[in-house]
Amino acid sequence: MAKKDQERDWDKELKEVDRLLNQLPTHREEQMAAAASAKRAPVSSAAGAPRDSGSRLGTWARVGLGLLVGIGMPFWPYSHACGFKLLFYMVGVLAVIVAGVWSGLSSWKRRMGLAHVLSQLLVIWGLVLAAEVVLPRVGYAKAAATWFCP
C-alpha cells in the first residue's frame, strides 16, 4: 500500500480536482466575487483595517457628538411629561441610540476599541432613557403616566 501511495503524482491529482471544482457553477461565482472584492478594496495593512487618520477622526467625531447629546439628555430644558414635548424628547432619545449605533459600526470597522466601548455605552444609555419614558406609560412602573396630555 505504501508503494502505491508513493507512485501517485499528487500534483496531477490536485490539478484534476481543481479542474472539476471549476466546472461547478457555484465555485466559479465564489471565485469571481472574491476576485472582484480584492480589486475593489485593497488591504492597507496586515490586519486588514483601514488606517487613514481622517476616518479615525471622523469616528471620534461621531462618538463625541453622540456622547454630548447623551450627556445632555438628562438636562432637557423642557417638560416632557406628555404630548408633543414628549414626542420631541423621544426623538432626542432616538438620536442618542442612532448615534451610538452609527459610531459603533464605524469604530468596529476601524478596530478602535475604546471608541467602540463608548459607542456601546451610548446605546445602552439611550435604551435606559427610552425605558424611563416608555415603561411608566405601558403600565410596568408603579407610577402610571400618559402619552397624551388631558
Side-chain angles (χ1 to χ4, degrees), residues 42-108:
V43 177
S44 62
S45 70
R51 296 289 182 204
D52 55 305
S53 61
S55 62
R56 295 175 67 82
L57 185 62
T59 299
W60 278 113
R62 288 182 191 110
V63 172
L65 287 173
L67 286 173
L68 287 175
V69 173
I71 290 169
M73 288 305 291
F75 305 107
W76 188 265
Y78 308 107
S79 167
H80 53 278
C82 59
F84 283 112
K85 292 180 180 180
L86 176 64
L87 176 69
F88 291 133
Y89 180 79
M90 288 302 293
V91 169
V93 170
L94 182 65
V96 171
I97 296 170
V98 168
V101 169
W102 186 31
S103 60
L105 291 172
S106 179
S107 62
W108 180 265

Side-chain angles (χ1 to χ4, degrees), residues 110-134:
R110 287 167 183 76
R111 292 166 175 76
M112 299 170 63
L114 179 61
H116 191 69
V117 169
L118 291 174
S119 299
Q120 298 311 306
L121 290 174
L122 191 58
V123 170
I124 293 168
W125 177 242
L127 292 174
V128 166
L129 291 172
E132 184 180 64
V133 171
V134 171

